[in-house]
Amino acid sequence: MSIRLYIGNLPKEEIDRQELQAVFAEEGDGVTTKLIKDRKTGKCRGFGFLTVNNDEQADQIIEKYNGQLFKDTPIKLEKALPRTKGEEGSEEQPQTPKPVLQGTSAPVPSSNKEGGRREKSKKSRRGGGGGGSARETAANVETEAIRPDPRWAAELEKLKEMLAAQATN
């Protein structure tokens, strides 16, 4: 069974996989490296992975190479966490379904209590820059006005009652 090791604290510059593989060359052919690079720049993102044959070899390599200098920076070696569902090299957390408001198909924003990454909205939050017609925007405003956020529904009702009482006075 192969074991994956995380290689951290790599210099964030252009590095070839062969350079990193050369560091672990004396461990034999059963040891392979994978360098994680930025898609846009092609530079190293500061980490990679090392695959070894067994648990004993993994422990020996960690003990031997952890803290060793690679291009003037000490590398950090530890056993990698198991992969989550998704593509290889993807660091994203698995998606969980979001609750849906009654009568709508729009998901409710979830709070980020687990300390994971925040999800980025696909639409711009700034006005103006296209992306939808005025008619679609007006329809969205109307549905939002009809269906308030359920977390604030009770407070909204109180405000409506207070406004109605002021209007009658």
Side-chain angles (χ1 to χ4, degrees):
M1 184 176 126
S2 63
I3 305 294
R4 282 172 49 108
L5 301 177
Y6 168 83
I7 308 170
N9 202 32
L10 293 173
K12 294 186 178 183
E13 58 186 53
E14 291 190 27
I15 303 171
D16 289 335
R17 187 182 70 83
Q18 289 80 15
E19 290 178 281
L20 188 59
Q21 183 74 31
V23 173
F24 304 101
E26 68 182 60
E27 298 301 323
D29 293 335
V31 177
T32 58
T33 58
K34 179 173 182 162
L35 191 62
I36 307 300
K37 295 184 176 184
D38 186 85
R39 289 181 185 159
K40 293 179 183 175
T41 63
K43 292 183 180 180
C44 177
R45 291 188 56 198
F47 68 99
F49 295 97
L50 181 71
T51 306
V52 297
N53 294 329
N54 56 43
D55 215 12
E56 292 173 10
Q57 186 181 21
D59 291 335
Q60 290 171 355
I61 289 175
I62 290 171
E63 191 173 313
K64 183 176 181 180
Y65 293 100
N66 193 26
Q68 181 176 336
L69 292 180
F70 176 72
K71 293 200 172 195
D72 299 327
T73 60
I75 60 174
K76 177 183 177 183
L77 273 172
E78 59 187 39
K79 290 185 180 177
L81 297 174
R83 287 188 205 162
T84 58
K85 291 181 183 177
E87 294 181 20
E88 188 174 321
S90 173
E91 293 85 38
E92 293 184 22
Q93 299 292 326
Q95 298 288 327
T96 56
K98 294 181 181 176
V100 177
L101 291 173
Q102 285 182 332
T104 67
S105 60
V108 175
S110 63
S111 63
N112 197 1
K113 293 180 184 174
E114 284 96 41
R117 296 182 184 168
R118 278 196 165 165
E119 295 178 19
K120 294 182 181 176
S121 174
K122 291 184 180 180
K123 290 186 178 181
S124 173
R125 293 185 181 202
R126 295 185 185 186
S133 69
R135 198 175 277 169
E136 289 174 2
T137 305
N140 288 342
V141 170
E142 286 178 23
T143 57
E144 287 176 9
I146 294 170
R147 295 182 186 95
D149 188 336
R151 296 173 291 183
W152 306 107
E155 285 82 3
L156 186 60
E157 285 301 317
K158 289 177 189 175
L159 286 172
K160 285 181 182 178
E161 289 172 11
M162 290 170 54
L163 283 172
Q166 283 181 350
T168 56
N169 291 339

